[in-house]
Amino acid sequence: MQATKLSTKIKPIHRIPVIIISGFLGSGKTTLLNGLLSHAPKSAVIINEFGATGIDQHLLRQHKVPLSTLVGGCLCCQVRGSLTPLLKNLRMAWDANNNYFERVIIETSGIANPESVLDILLKDRWLSARYSVQSAITTVSAIMDVQHFERFPEVAAQIAWADSVVLTQTDLADAFQQQSIQAKLDQLAPAAMHLMAVQGDIDVDVILNTGKKIRPLLKDKLPLLAAHAFNTISVPLPVAMSWQQLHTALSYLTTYYSEQLVRLKGLVYTPECPQPLLIQGVAGRLYLPTRLAQRVSDDGVGRLVVIYTGDIANFAEIILAQCAITRS
Ligand SMILES: Nc1nc2c(ncn2[C@@H]2O[C@H](COP(=O)(O)OP(=O)(O)OP(=O)(O)O)[C@@H](O)[C@H]2O)c(=O)[nH]1
């Protein structure tokens, strides 16, 4: 009797594309992500923030996307171990729920080296069979102090790993600033695609359809990265302050500590309005705040997250004291 030949064809597993967005503190990653999600709503998002309190997810409130946060450290060090189980769970949820998103977008913290994320995605056998790295994008602010390239090694590492470099905040930069940063990008990422985005506005098709580069990753374990020279504190603001008062207090702090205070973010409540206010500051500059839609989960306690370099003793107390001085 002739044995029936069993079909040995195995259906290939669909690999979900992953886009990694890196870039230095305040360079416009979340703004770019916000713009991308408006055109690509079928995305699952993972946000990594160095600060202990997550702020970025509030900026993405209007998008109804599956969103996970990894806060209180970097994907290249403190929270690196959390990415693999998170991606595994996400994939299993995708398999069980009718493939409910089309891609994963990972926004790393502003001081993370994207190499670690690539390392996980490309070397873990289970993950690499189910995810494919579509592109690594790095945002670079046109108004960034060029000394940051020497001062913070994270900046060059982020640019070196990029398939696409997106120059942001060009509307705030003069011609000299733009040329200086552009020259650095030509030197550090000559093979990457160079794009521009003002307020996250970018040609989404270019981003979503970019093919990946072949990356020569190290075969062995990654070498230990030098520890980041950054500190972070989260300061609760239980007493509501008007935006004017807050602006005065924060302007003083960002000017007085302009060398050390690299990033300031916060979700605060003001007496003028029940909707929370998202505040943003980067290296000596305060941006206009954004009013967010109110949510049931809003607890009325404002929070400031500060990322700084060097030792500033009792920085949280200094911030609270400055706010109290301005209020009185
Ligand atoms: N004028 C202007 N402002 C921008 C642009 N892109 C971003 N911003 C502002 O710059 C500030 C920082 O932008 P984010 O998108 O939060 O930067 P980020 O890289 O996600 O910041 P971290 O995750 O904290 O490192 C916010 O106040 C943005 O509104 C731009 O192209 N033009």
Side-chain angles (χ1 to χ4, degrees):
M1 201 171 70
Q2 206 183 353
T4 327
K5 202 174 171 194
L6 282 175
S7 166
T8 49
K9 271 199 180 161
I10 301 170
K11 205 174 153 218
I13 303 176
H14 174 73
R15 294 164 78 211
I16 303 172
V18 180
I19 296 174
I20 303 161
I21 304 180
S22 300
F24 196 60
L25 296 162
S27 59
K29 296 177 292 298
T30 314
T31 308
L32 182 71
L33 175 57
N34 209 3
L36 282 179
L37 290 178
S38 306
H39 298 277
K42 282 189 152 189
S43 305
V45 172
I46 298 175
I47 291 185
N48 165 225
E49 282 189 80
F50 182 64
T53 308
I55 300 290
D56 288 352
Q57 74 258 30
H58 298 291
L59 198 67
L60 306 174
R61 277 177 181 200
Q62 76 274 22
H63 302 289
K64 306 280 176 268
V65 295
L67 192 148
S68 319
T69 54
L70 293 171
V71 296
C74 275
L75 271 176
C76 60
C77 33
Q78 297 96 333
V79 297
R80 185 186 153 103
S82 309
L83 185 61
T84 304
L86 176 54
L87 284 168
K88 287 187 175 172
N89 287 335
L90 201 55
R91 174 65 197 221
M92 287 189 268
W94 185 85
D95 286 333
N97 292 292
N98 298 321
N99 314 346
Y100 67 114
F101 53 84
E102 290 172 358
R103 72 191 62 75
V104 176
I105 306 180
I106 302 176
E107 179 190 339
T108 72
S109 86
I111 55 176
N113 183 341
E115 183 181 14
S116 307
V117 180
L118 290 165
D119 189 69
I120 289 170
L121 280 164
L122 299 177
K123 285 202 196 140
D124 181 292
R125 286 184 66 185
W126 195 94
L127 290 179
S128 62
R130 290 160 181 86
Y131 290 101
S132 65
V133 176
Q134 186 185 338
S135 63
I137 301 169
T138 297
T139 53
V140 181
S141 167
I143 52 168
M144 182 174 68
D145 184 343
V146 279
Q147 291 189 2
H148 281 13
F149 286 95
E150 273 73 51
R151 208 173 150 206
F152 305 121
E154 290 86 351
V155 177
Q158 290 166 347
I159 295 169
W161 281 105
D163 296 318
S164 310
V165 178
V166 180
L167 191 63
T168 62
Q169 302 171 339
T170 47
D171 54 321
L172 301 174
D174 58 34
F176 178 73
Q177 283 173 311
Q178 280 203 43
Q179 278 160 14
S180 311
I181 297 286
Q182 196 63 63
K184 277 283 182 191
L185 297 184
D186 291 343
Q187 179 197 342
L188 292 169
M193 182 160 60
H194 290 205
L195 303 164
M196 240 184 225
V198 172
Q199 296 288 10
D201 187 14
I202 199 160
D203 185 345
V204 180
D205 284 342
V206 176
I207 296 285
L208 297 184
N209 299 319
T210 299
K212 72 167 190 245
K213 257 199 245 163
I214 305 296
R215 293 158 203 286
L217 280 181
L218 296 173
K219 284 211 174 62
D220 305 320
K221 279 193 161 186
L222 285 180
L224 279 182
L225 299 162
H228 300 299
F230 295 89
N231 301 307
T232 180
I233 45 166
S234 179
V235 186
L237 286 181
V239 185
M241 291 173 74
S242 70
W243 166 239
Q244 229 171 357
Q245 289 174 330
L246 256 175
H247 186 266
T248 307
L250 299 178
S251 296
Y252 171 80
L253 290 163
T254 49
T255 308
Y256 194 82
Y257 293 99
S258 62
E259 269 293 296
Q260 299 101 323
L261 204 161
V262 190
R263 186 76 169 108
L264 166 78
K265 296 197 250 198
L267 192 74
V268 300
Y269 297 85
T270 59
E272 306 98 74
C273 185
Q275 281 93 11
L277 201 61
L278 189 96
I279 56 171
Q280 302 259 18
V282 180
R285 175 191 291 264
L286 272 182
Y287 287 90
L288 274 180
T290 316
R291 278 272 172 219
L292 300 176
Q294 208 176 357
R295 273 196 172 174
V296 185
S297 54
D298 289 332
D299 61 4
V301 179
R303 282 174 194 83
L304 291 177
V305 176
V306 177
I307 299 176
Y308 62 100
T309 56
D311 283 331
I312 308 177
N314 307 326
F315 202 16
E317 283 84 349
I318 293 172
I319 293 169
L320 285 172
Q322 193 56 44
C323 290
I325 292 168
T326 318
R327 265 201 318 270
S328 59

